[in-house]
Amino acid sequence: MKTENIGKKNNVSFERAAPVHTARAADSINPSMVIPESLPNVLGQTQYIDDLPRPAGCLQAVVRLSDSAHARILAIRTEEALALDPSVRVILAKDIPGTNQIGFNKPDEPLLPEEEWVYWGQPIAIVVAATRPLARRAASLLRIESEPLPAITDPREAAARGEFIFPPRTIACGNTQEAFSRCAYVVEGRVESGGQEHVYLETQGAIAQVVDGRRVHVISSTQGPSGVQRAVAQVLGVSMNMVEVEARRLGGAFGGKEDQAANWACMAAVASWITGKPVELYLNRKDDMRATGKRHPYSSDFRIGADKDGTLLAFEADYYQNSGFCCDLSAAILARTVLHATGAYHIPNVRVTGYMCRTNLPSFTAFRGFGAPQAFFVIESAMDALAQKMGIDPVELKRRNLYKEGDRTYYGMTLERVRASEAVERLLKKVDYPSLKERIAQFNATHRLEKKGLGLIPVAFGISFTKLQMNQAGALVHIYTDGSVMVSTGAIEMGQQVARKIALIVARTLGVPVAKVTVQRTTTLTVANTVPTAASTGSDLNGMAAKIACQEIRGRLVKKAAELLHALPEEIDIKEGAILQNGSPSALTWQALIEAMHASRQDLSAHGFYATPFLEYDMRTERGRPFAYHVYGAALVEASVDTLRGTYSLDSVSVVHDIGESIDPSTDRGQIEGALAQGLGWALLEDLRFGADGRLLSDTLSTYKVPDVSFMPSSIDIEFLPPIENPTTPYNSKAVGEPPLQYGIAGYFAVLNAIRAAVGRSVAYYNLPLIPEKVSDLLASTPCTQEPMEPQRGQSFNETISKKGA
């Protein structure tokens, strides 16, 4: 196969190859040979934080949470709690041995409040006791005296008062004002997108133990062990080399344990340090929902314009991000929002501004998609509103404006290997779009109490951490003398099968059966300075690091095999554990080769390090290449609305997705389906609601609805685009965790179009999630204006409609 060298970085040569449409038989690994993590899961053999055997003398910790959104602490009375049992200890901010601060992007996040609390559900005190029920009882006996303070819960109110965590961030190109003056069509409007609860199966938790009186070992349910290590060291006042953090596996995370797992690990560590005993802290579901962050709610304004033919000329947007009480990861999340502002569309004149608005709510945090879904919903709403004004099919407007090869984005990145149009056209052909439209029109004409609608979304999703220094990873690989292989990376297994993918990469690179490979738990002792398993980069970064380590070992093995076989190194190959000479099996076995390496005192271990090449971005000019590559795709959703009841059903979803050369198709397909479910839930179902006083109203799974089997479409059809080169990832693969979540947004517009069919007029309403309550009111209301009717915090949508006189 012909290749062209396109650069070298981290001792890795990157070559441009001809498109690969099928995995080469000689290099491919049979994924069915891997025992997936899911098998021991369903057999009940895997253990999570609360399943682990407790160390001898282990105490249980609970937290006392605040019961208002903002108040000054006057006194915390502990006498009754301490009198309950001799094992009870109460730990307050003044007891923290090190620095009472775990905010690293900005020091605005104390572990425990000293003078005032700033959101409803904030941990005020740590209470430990011999048992969890005893600790919970003791926490309830704390008497807290406080003075109420004003609270802000709305991001626009925060912006009006100048309550910003960091100054606004703007990216602009061209001249939008001049471009708008040339537009034949201009529309503007407001978009509201709600938050979203992570609902990971395993809630936040940690077990901490002081070893030898000075070292600390923490088992944490975290996506970022090194971040937890740093935070624990800081609150204890010790160096990081005195703290080991271990993450065995997570029962789900979705971003909720990227930064916020550090809170609970630090509390367990502080309690263990003070008591001298092991301490477990494991939240129940209600406390987890009250105390932790969720997906950021956004309130946004847009303006978009096109010429008479529908070619986009200008776009402006202002994003008011509800950041919550502290910085957390909000800056990075807002960065991804403003870097995905135009979605999959090329627009020559752009001005987008993001505002990080500080409110008295829990610190909103990472969630699958990381700020991009909010941006996609705004641009898709703008495109929908523009198509309504032009009187054309939104699909046709989208087709005319998709990114093309060589387009330069508004932040200065020249796009390569663009597949936006390919994905959309393949999807439209797949579903026979003209016939489908006609079938929907005929159905709507003959059914009075049920209407159908279609929604389509194209996706162009950038892959890399937007904070460039985070795009690095390390791996440690050992071959033992029996020929088995162990690999340790910074990747956290949390149900997404990253360990399975890394095992496949290691097996393919070394040339051994995948059954010989074991991926060990992640710990800061074996791989240091890890980045969180997030931003869809887990397999990319850690897989490449493992591949580099394996390539180093493989080079030694090939050299030794050539020596033993009296051959040249270029004549030697290793595949599926067989040592080949000139393409034919030799007499040398894998086991004999490993024993010969060990006998000749040659290293059977290697550390691999990888940093994503070609990334650069100038924050001053807002220009550069922030992403290694983009993932493209498109989805079409068909939905039906019951016009009498105001309910809806999702009939079918068709997806065409750019997966590259899939390392494990079954895993990738599962990731697409899972992301789609979360995207549909965010768009149509999951109603995260706070009261006007800042209290979380949807704080249990009886008041917060998540997707189930009855909600999901009866038909989900996923097709992969033919693979092409992607030289900065293992074996031309592509990230899969986050891009497909955007497909769920198409469900919103499918339901909205069914509503339009029912009322017989244009409905410009962009307020997510589009729950049945809103559908019912839209069906019964007077014609909607461009500006949505937004419920007040803690007020139902029905109450809002009635007050407007609908």
Side-chain angles (χ1 to χ4, degrees):
M1 181 178 64
K2 295 182 178 179
T3 61
E4 171 193 359
N5 191 280
I6 60 171
K8 189 173 184 180
K9 187 111 175 179
N10 308 315
N11 295 318
V12 182
S13 293
F14 295 92
E15 295 183 330
R16 192 184 304 278
V20 181
H21 294 285
T22 58
R24 291 169 294 172
D27 291 340
S28 63
I29 294 292
N30 181 3
S32 65
M33 297 173 64
V34 184
I35 298 176
E37 178 82 2
S38 56
L39 181 59
N41 277 345
V42 298
L43 294 175
Q45 297 171 343
T46 49
Q47 292 182 321
Y48 298 87
I49 294 289
D50 208 35
D51 301 322
L52 297 174
R54 286 17 170 224
C58 184
L59 300 175
Q60 294 293 322
V62 301
V63 287
R64 174 65 183 269
L65 304 179
S66 66
D67 56 5
S68 70
H70 195 193
R72 181 175 292 109
I73 301 172
L74 302 178
I76 301 178
R77 309 293 184 192
T78 63
E79 294 83 1
E80 288 185 62
L82 294 173
L84 183 64
D85 186 85
S87 66
V88 173
R89 292 289 298 271
V90 178
I91 299 168
L92 305 177
K94 62 183 178 61
D95 302 315
I96 294 174
T99 303
N100 183 25
Q101 182 58 242
I102 58 172
F104 292 110
N105 294 315
K106 184 175 184 176
D108 61 350
E109 188 176 2
L111 183 64
L112 295 173
E114 297 175 9
E115 298 179 353
E116 61 182 63
W117 65 71
V118 288
Y119 74 93
W120 197 312
Q122 182 174 356
I124 299 171
I126 308 165
V127 180
V128 296
T131 67
R132 196 174 295 163
L134 187 60
R136 187 166 292 279
R137 171 64 178 154
S140 71
L141 293 176
L142 293 178
R143 304 304 175 211
I144 300 172
E145 299 174 9
S146 63
E147 176 187 345
L149 294 172
I152 301 174
T153 61
D154 182 81
R156 289 183 184 264
E157 179 185 352
R161 298 188 182 189
E163 289 289 340
F164 299 122
I165 291 177
F166 284 123
R169 180 173 181 180
T170 297
I171 302 179
C173 75
N175 185 329
T176 55
Q177 294 309 307
E178 187 276 333
F180 277 124
S181 69
R182 294 187 284 110
C183 291
Y185 302 95
V186 176
V187 295
E188 57 187 45
R190 177 177 291 190
V191 177
E192 305 289 339
S193 58
Q196 188 175 20
E197 184 70 50
H198 297 90
V199 198
Y200 26 66
L201 292 178
E202 178 194 30
T203 56
Q204 299 276 7
I207 299 174
Q209 184 172 8
V210 177
V211 182
D212 298 332
R214 61 194 187 98
R215 293 187 297 109
V216 181
H217 177 254
V218 180
I219 302 175
S220 174
S221 182
T222 178
Q223 296 173 243
S226 291
V228 171
Q229 180 190 29
R230 181 183 178 189
V232 168
Q234 179 157 297
V235 298
L236 295 182
V238 301
S239 57
M240 289 175 66
N241 64 355
M242 303 304 291
V243 179
E244 178 193 356
V245 176
E246 176 186 336
R248 300 188 178 187
R249 64 180 58 82
L250 277 60
F254 311 115
K257 299 174 182 177
E258 179 175 347
D259 198 62
Q260 296 205 354
N263 304 35
W264 317 104
C266 286
M267 291 180 198
V270 166
S272 181
W273 188 271
I274 290 174
T275 63
K277 295 184 178 182
V279 173
E280 178 186 11
L281 191 160
Y282 188 76
L283 298 185
N284 64 28
R285 179 65 63 184
K286 188 162 187 172
D287 284 351
D288 188 291
M289 295 180 77
R290 288 180 62 199
T292 64
K294 302 89 171 60
R295 186 187 298 281
H296 289 72
Y298 275 53
S299 182
S300 307
D301 299 319
F302 71 81
R303 190 182 188 208
I304 192 168
D307 65 16
K308 61 181 178 63
D309 297 320
T311 301
L312 298 177
L313 298 181
F315 176 68
E316 291 183 339
D318 292 286
Y319 306 97
Y320 295 92
Q321 178 199 73
N322 194 329
S323 305
F325 82 96
C326 72
C327 180
D328 197 277
L329 295 170
S330 295
I333 289 164
L334 189 69
R336 188 165 288 272
T337 298
V338 295
L339 289 169
H340 285 80
T342 64
Y345 309 111
H346 177 66
I347 309 176
N349 301 281
V350 176
R351 194 279 304 159
V352 292
T353 301
Y355 302 88
M356 294 174 57
C357 306
R358 189 190 299 275
T359 61
N360 294 109
L361 293 176
S363 176
F364 294 99
T365 192
F367 197 121
R368 196 176 197 167
F370 207 76
Q374 295 92 324
F376 272 92
F377 184 54
V378 172
I379 187 63
E380 290 300 316
S381 297
M383 293 291 282
D384 181 81
L386 182 59
Q388 293 292 306
K389 182 163 187 175
M390 295 176 66
I392 64 173
D393 184 346
V395 171
E396 296 308 314
L397 181 64
K398 295 174 184 185
R399 294 171 77 184
R400 294 176 197 175
N401 292 283
L402 292 168
Y403 277 133
K404 297 179 178 60
E405 185 71 17
D407 277 349
R408 190 174 178 86
T409 68
Y410 57 97
Y411 49 84
M413 179 175 174
T414 300
L415 298 177
E416 302 172 334
R417 298 180 286 277
V418 178
R419 313 191 78 183
S421 290
E422 181 184 356
V424 170
E425 295 308 314
R426 196 178 185 99
L427 176 64
L428 295 177
K429 182 178 180 181
K430 178 185 181 69
V431 301
D432 190 1
Y433 185 66
S435 297
L436 179 59
K437 275 184 65 178
E438 178 61 26
R439 176 174 65 80
I440 296 292
Q442 291 178 0
F443 180 92
N444 289 339
T446 56
H447 291 74
R448 185 171 65 89
L449 298 180
E450 185 180 9
K451 302 295 181 181
K452 289 183 177 291
L454 298 173
L456 180 142
I457 184 171
V459 170
F461 194 99
I463 302 298
S464 286
F465 285 101
T466 52
K467 189 174 184 179
L468 297 191
Q469 73 182 60
M470 296 179 69
N471 294 283
Q472 57 177 294
L476 180 64
V477 178
H478 299 306
I479 300 179
Y480 295 103
T481 54
D482 67 351
S484 62
V485 181
M486 188 281 289
V487 56
S488 181
T489 73
I492 304 296
E493 178 57 55
M494 44 193 167
Q496 85 283 37
Q497 300 294 321
V498 67
R500 176 180 170 93
K501 283 192 171 184
I502 289 173
L504 288 164
I505 292 165
V506 167
R508 183 169 175 172
T509 307
L510 287 177
V512 299
V514 72
K516 284 189 174 291
V517 181
T518 295
V519 179
Q520 281 288 356
R521 67 188 185 278
T522 303
T523 167
T524 54
L525 286 186
T526 54
V527 180
N529 307 316
T530 62
V531 299
T533 303
S536 303
T537 62
S539 296
D540 285 8
L541 293 176
N542 296 282
M544 284 297 284
K547 182 181 177 186
I548 290 167
C550 291
Q551 286 172 330
E552 183 177 334
I553 298 174
R554 182 187 173 97
R556 301 173 198 152
L557 294 174
V558 167
K559 184 177 179 182
K560 185 64 177 179
E563 175 190 323
L564 294 172
L565 294 170
H566 307 290
L568 297 174
E570 53 266 30
E571 296 174 351
I572 302 300
D573 199 0
I574 307 174
K575 293 182 179 179
E576 284 295 308
I579 315 302
L580 308 180
Q581 183 176 0
N582 294 319
S584 299
S586 70
L588 183 63
T589 66
W590 171 259
Q591 182 64 43
L593 176 59
I594 298 306
E595 290 176 355
M597 286 283 292
H598 184 63
S600 59
R601 298 181 295 174
Q602 295 192 47
D603 195 1
L604 288 167
S605 299
H607 173 261
F609 178 80
Y610 178 73
T612 309
F614 316 126
L615 298 178
E616 52 88 19
Y617 199 80
D618 187 337
M619 292 283 290
R620 295 168 300 172
T621 62
E622 294 286 4
R623 292 292 185 274
R625 181 191 173 102
F627 303 118
Y629 61 92
H630 282 75
V631 171
Y632 297 92
L636 186 141
V637 177
E638 179 181 340
S640 298
V641 168
D642 183 325
T643 61
L644 186 62
R645 298 175 178 86
T647 59
Y648 50 77
S649 61
L650 300 173
D651 303 326
S652 66
V653 178
S654 295
V655 171
V656 172
H657 187 78
D658 172 28
I659 196 64
E661 184 176 347
S662 177
I663 294 172
D664 184 5
S666 63
T667 291
D668 290 336
R669 191 173 298 275
Q671 284 291 293
I672 293 171
E673 291 175 352
L676 172 67
Q678 281 188 314
L680 289 169
W682 178 60
L684 293 168
L685 186 65
E686 300 181 46
D687 188 15
L688 184 73
R689 192 172 296 193
F690 290 90
D693 56 1
R695 181 170 66 91
L696 180 64
L697 302 178
S698 50
D699 62 353
T700 68
L701 294 183
S702 63
T703 56
Y704 184 83
K705 177 68 173 171
V706 295
D708 56 18
V709 173
S710 63
F711 168 79
M712 291 299 292
S714 56
S715 171
I716 301 176
D717 183 18
I718 299 170
E719 178 183 332
F720 294 159
L721 285 174
I724 61 173
E725 64 175 356
N726 195 34
T728 62
T729 63
Y731 300 108
N732 293 310
S733 59
K734 279 197 169 186
V736 71
E738 293 177 299
L741 187 137
Q742 277 63 216
Y743 296 149
I745 296 171
Y748 180 99
F749 291 98
V751 173
L752 186 60
N753 282 325
I755 293 172
R756 288 168 175 158
V759 299
R761 58 178 177 269
S762 175
V763 178
Y765 177 76
Y766 310 112
N767 190 319
L768 172 160
L770 190 52
I771 57 176
E773 184 181 15
K774 296 179 184 178
V775 172
S776 178
D777 288 319
L778 287 171
L779 290 170
S781 68
T782 54
C784 291
T785 60
Q786 185 69 20
E787 182 179 354
M789 295 171 286
E790 182 186 6
Q792 298 297 310
R793 297 289 180 185
Q795 183 181 62
S796 75
F797 200 80
N798 281 322
E799 291 171 326
T800 305
I801 293 289
S802 63
K803 287 188 177 182
K804 290 179 179 279

